[in-house]
Amino acid sequence: MWADLARRTNRLVPDASVAAVADALDYLCLAQLYLRDNPLLARPLTPADIKPRPAGHWGVCPPVNRMLAALGPLQAAVPDGYDLHVLHGAGHAGPSALAHAYLTGWLGTAHPDLSQSETGLRELVSGFPRADIGGEITPMIPGHLHTGGQLGPALAIGQGTVLDAPHRLSVVLIGDGECETGTTAASWLATRALHGTGDHGTVLPVVLLNGLRMGGPSVLSTLSRAELTAYFTGLGHQPVYSDGLDTGQLRQALAEALGAAQPLGIPGPSSVLVLTLDKGHGAPARLAGTPAVHKTPLRDPADAEFDALTEWLASYQPAQLLTPGGRPRPHLLPALPLPRPEPGSLPAPRGCVAASAQVAAHAAGRPFAQAVPEVLRARAEQGPFRVFSPDELASNRLDLTDEHGRPAPWAVEVLSEELCHAWAQGYTETGRHALVATYEAFAPITLSLIQQQLKHRAVRRHAGLAPLPSLVYLLTSLGWHNTLTHQNPSLTTALLAGGDPTLHVLTPADPARAAAALTFALRKLDRCTIVVAGKHTHLQHPLETVDEELRHGIAIWPHLTHPGPGEPDLILASAGDLPAEALTTLARRLRAERPGLRLRYVHIHDLTALAEDGTRPLALAPQEFARHFGTRAPIVLATNGHPADLHALLGRRHPGPRLTVLGYRDPGRPVSQEHLRELCGLDDAGLWKLAATLTDTPKEIPVP
């Protein structure tokens, strides 16, 4: 369908219109970088018209602009029921995205002060880079997808956008420097992991082979044409080449590439379009091929290089491209896509607590290996859903095979944490739900990708865009039951330090609560939820407080708490399954051997409930914090992760010396599980001694 559409628009839309759009985009990019007035050169340029400190990126703009111009007629002709997304691999093409959104009118819809008018054009040019939009691509620029500032994941994110979406074409613009990243390198081959997993849409990778990265020649540009062809062919892709300067040839190459493009997951080669255009094309000849073209090639445009800039700007003949009123001239219009309606909002979730509590009740008494996979199977039956895992489903006791041992078609494994995250990111950014399941120790590999996605989501919220499905991670195979190299709970440490208000770190106490936590996380929108649950957990706890734990992130467990008002003698608080096991064992022994000791037991289901009041949605109000943690009693708080996480969350309302936090400490050498618990203070003898010390009992207490 896409190839036929490209061929039809090639016949109907003149090449001259496409070339004019490319020129207009180039000019507007250059004007944004350098001009603070006189945006159409309506009068002779003067040094006063030049920005005193030009900022931004020029180098990537010319090839991006030619692709946007060539795709314009295709975007305009997309029939109802089909999607064409352009995904930018690098955010540096911010001037291009802004210029394109201005020419199409999309920008004025989102930002009325940047509408197609004399004042809108002046504001676009003089205001770059605007503090409220930025100089790089963000969700503040309508019509352009760019899901974070990290280089590398764009191709995999594009693959995620078309999974289970046969109506969608995602054109991914990839810089040749970006091809040096491990994630991009893995993405070419990784589509083979998606064979037979459903009916998917099509990804057309476009490699912008401009010869340079920021500091020098790109590795990809050192390959000859024959080597480049052999490289892509070996990865299962059929390259189609274009130099980008001949508009008609570029459009023919685009149609050819679309004709050879296979829907994702179909065996056999698919196409890649290689656009060979020098980085920063159009810059003064003396700068061509140098790293200077990456940002603003002319560093002294108002003085020594004023004549060079004047000549460069005038070469585009802007008055032939835009009217004095800031609108594109009529001959550009056939190559410009019209605004398309935004996709509808997802329905707000309802009944999340009740549904999740019901799951917990159903899972009561069942081990992790039964309770959690059942949740995932049930979610897959409700609509589009994907599980991505770096070859660890079986190891994590997540058996998602059918009665014949065949893997579930909605579960994908590939030995790359980055690809799993990027696929899930593309899937959720297009309105579907996904889960990444991985070892706790190796989840930090994706930290930067998660942080970039959280920044992207924050800007989406600021722009007033509709909520999307949550980013959900299941971390299991915890370090408490693993070798030294497989002990690293630092993903939650780093994410909590970032302070994102949508982050929730769930630490369920048992498999039933883990099943409820996942159900809850997968129903919610616009969150980042990390569920930390050990696959070895067998101990079950009463479920009478599950509703409260899900709703407020914390609850007092009445079966281990002395009734009645007043301050207890000791407060035990657990966050996670192993801490709950250790502290409930201690609580039962204290109740049996020291019946006069007034005890309060608290379970923290969501770590963010501990945060300072007002900093996070679930942060306890002062009176609720006091109700749970008292005002004088000593507190023993045990966590699966680093103790520092909880100290940092508590912040200024830290209970001070009456709080003892126990958690993971790196042993520095291989040790047994028993020795690790002893080192971290979570062994039975150590906890009993600590409780005795805190409640002023004799130090020498026999340990059974």
Side-chain angles (χ1 to χ4, degrees):
M1 194 280 286
W2 298 108
D4 291 340
L5 199 62
R7 286 190 288 266
R8 186 165 71 252
T9 56
N10 283 356
R11 293 192 304 270
L12 296 176
V13 178
D15 290 341
S17 293
V18 176
V21 168
D23 286 345
L25 291 171
D26 279 357
Y27 177 78
L28 288 175
C29 288
L30 194 61
Q32 288 177 85
L33 296 179
Y34 285 106
L35 296 183
R36 63 177 177 181
D37 200 3
N38 197 10
L40 289 179
L41 310 183
R43 53 179 171 74
L45 201 66
T46 68
D49 295 325
I50 310 302
K51 291 177 178 174
R53 299 181 65 182
H57 293 81
W58 165 256
V60 71
C61 290
V64 167
N65 291 342
R66 275 145 188 79
M67 277 311 305
L68 293 177
L71 288 166
L74 192 61
Q75 288 178 297
V78 172
D80 291 341
Y82 288 85
D83 292 338
L84 195 166
H85 289 168
V86 179
L87 182 70
H88 295 261
H92 290 167
S96 292
L98 281 164
H100 186 259
Y102 177 82
L103 287 180
T104 60
W106 301 340
L107 191 60
T109 301
H111 306 280
D113 60 326
L114 296 176
S115 60
Q116 293 178 348
S117 64
E118 183 178 354
T119 57
L121 177 61
R122 181 177 291 108
E123 180 61 28
L124 171 72
V125 170
S126 65
F128 181 88
R130 286 173 53 136
D132 58 342
I133 297 179
E136 301 194 1
I137 301 175
T138 73
M140 303 296 290
I141 306 175
H144 291 264
L145 292 181
H146 173 66
T147 52
Q150 181 163 333
L151 290 177
L155 181 53
I157 292 173
Q159 292 163 351
T161 66
V162 304
L163 282 172
D164 306 320
H167 62 289
R168 181 170 297 135
L169 168 66
S170 284
V171 179
V172 185
L173 308 184
I174 309 165
D176 51 359
E178 189 169 6
C179 290
E180 298 173 21
T181 64
T183 310
T184 299
S187 299
W188 300 110
L189 196 61
T191 55
R192 295 171 183 266
L194 303 170
H195 289 174
T197 64
D199 294 326
H200 310 310
T202 302
V203 173
L204 176 62
V206 179
V207 174
L208 308 177
L209 188 60
N210 58 44
L212 292 172
R213 38 182 161 76
M214 185 184 301
S218 67
V219 173
L220 207 66
S221 67
T222 66
L223 301 181
S224 68
R225 177 63 61 88
E227 290 172 324
L228 196 61
T229 299
Y231 171 72
F232 283 118
T233 302
L235 292 173
H237 293 267
Q238 176 181 332
V240 178
Y241 296 95
S242 173
D243 67 7
L245 291 178
D246 184 332
T247 301
Q249 192 275 331
L250 173 58
R251 299 179 72 197
Q252 290 298 325
L254 177 59
E256 180 184 343
L258 288 172
Q262 295 270 33
L264 200 67
I266 300 296
S270 190
S271 57
V272 53
L273 178 59
V274 182
L275 179 60
T276 57
L277 183 69
D278 290 342
K279 188 167 188 173
H281 173 78
R286 64 184 176 81
L287 299 173
T290 72
V293 301
H294 180 74
K295 291 188 176 179
T296 49
L298 301 178
R299 305 304 298 166
D300 190 16
D303 192 4
E305 297 175 311
F306 176 75
D307 290 342
L309 177 61
T310 300
E311 182 180 354
W312 188 4
L313 287 164
S315 69
Y316 292 101
Q317 298 182 293
Q320 303 301 313
L321 303 171
L322 297 165
T323 69
R327 294 183 176 277
R329 294 283 185 183
H331 65 287
L332 276 69
L333 298 180
L336 290 173
L338 299 173
R340 296 175 64 87
E342 290 289 329
S345 300
L346 295 171
R350 295 283 185 265
C352 296
V353 170
S356 303
Q358 186 176 7
V359 166
H362 178 70
R366 304 170 71 192
F368 177 96
Q370 292 179 10
V372 172
E374 185 169 300
V375 167
L376 303 182
R377 294 177 190 278
R379 181 60 189 82
E381 294 175 356
Q382 296 170 10
F385 174 65
R386 285 273 170 175
V387 172
F388 302 98
S389 178
D391 195 32
E392 292 162 356
L393 289 177
S395 178
N396 281 329
R397 302 190 180 180
L398 298 172
D399 183 2
L400 302 179
T401 57
D402 63 17
E403 64 273 17
H404 304 292
R406 295 172 300 205
W410 41 269
V412 179
E413 294 188 272
V414 65
L415 200 49
S416 168
E417 283 82 3
E418 295 97 326
L419 288 182
C420 289
H421 176 91
W423 284 343
Q425 183 169 343
Y427 204 75
T428 55
E429 291 293 320
T430 46
R432 286 84 56 77
H433 294 262
L435 169 74
V436 178
T438 185
Y439 275 32
E440 177 192 55
F442 304 127
I445 292 172
T446 61
L447 172 61
S448 181
L449 290 170
I450 296 173
Q451 291 171 325
Q452 290 290 346
Q453 188 175 2
L454 291 179
K455 288 178 180 290
H456 172 78
R457 291 285 185 96
V459 178
R460 279 185 56 91
R461 290 192 298 276
H462 177 73
L465 300 179
L468 293 171
S470 296
L471 167 64
V472 183
Y473 265 68
L474 171 60
L475 305 187
T476 183
S477 294
L478 307 183
W480 298 99
H481 296 93
N482 246 316
T483 61
L484 176 67
T485 56
H486 289 41
Q487 296 170 5
N488 183 6
S490 63
L491 177 68
T492 53
T493 301
L495 291 178
L496 286 167
D500 190 288
T502 69
L503 175 69
H504 295 265
V505 180
L506 305 188
T507 52
D510 53 36
R513 285 173 166 83
L518 274 177
T519 301
F520 191 80
L522 290 170
R523 290 173 66 99
K524 286 291 187 178
L525 298 179
D526 218 21
R527 291 185 173 196
C528 173
T529 304
I530 313 296
V531 181
V532 185
K535 64 186 180 184
H536 296 286
T537 306
H538 295 290
L539 189 64
Q540 305 285 336
H541 304 277
L543 296 175
E544 57 192 305
T545 60
V546 163
D547 281 40
E548 188 177 354
E549 292 170 39
L550 291 166
R551 194 180 307 277
H552 301 296
I554 193 169
I556 296 171
W557 282 1
H559 67 285
L560 295 175
T561 297
H562 283 82
E567 189 85 358
D569 300 314
L570 180 65
I571 299 170
L572 302 179
S574 57
D577 40 27
L578 181 138
E581 177 184 348
L583 290 189
T584 54
T585 299
L586 173 64
R588 289 191 178 102
R589 185 179 174 197
L590 286 171
R591 289 170 66 89
E593 299 187 21
R594 300 189 56 196
L597 184 74
R598 293 181 58 79
L599 191 66
R600 179 183 299 163
Y601 193 102
V602 178
H603 182 71
I604 303 156
H605 183 76
D606 186 334
L607 292 185
T608 66
L610 297 178
E612 289 187 61
D613 184 31
T615 62
R616 296 179 186 268
L618 289 186
L620 294 174
Q623 62 273 22
E624 281 301 299
F625 188 84
R627 184 173 74 85
H628 287 83
F629 294 105
T631 56
R632 299 184 306 276
I635 306 165
V636 177
L637 200 167
T639 176
N640 271 335
H642 292 298
D645 300 354
L646 305 191
H647 288 297
L649 274 171
L650 289 163
R652 288 173 293 182
R653 70 172 176 193
H654 193 289
R658 68 187 184 96
L659 173 65
T660 302
V661 182
L662 304 173
Y664 176 77
R665 292 175 55 196
D666 195 297
R669 66 190 189 282
V671 297
S672 67
Q673 295 172 19
E674 293 75 15
H675 190 181
L676 179 62
R677 289 182 64 155
E678 182 179 348
L679 176 71
C680 298
L682 286 172
D683 61 305
D684 291 345
L687 285 170
W688 181 258
K689 184 176 181 180
L690 176 63
T693 301
L694 292 174
T695 53
D696 295 323
T697 56
K699 300 296 192 298
E700 287 73 31
I701 296 178
V703 176

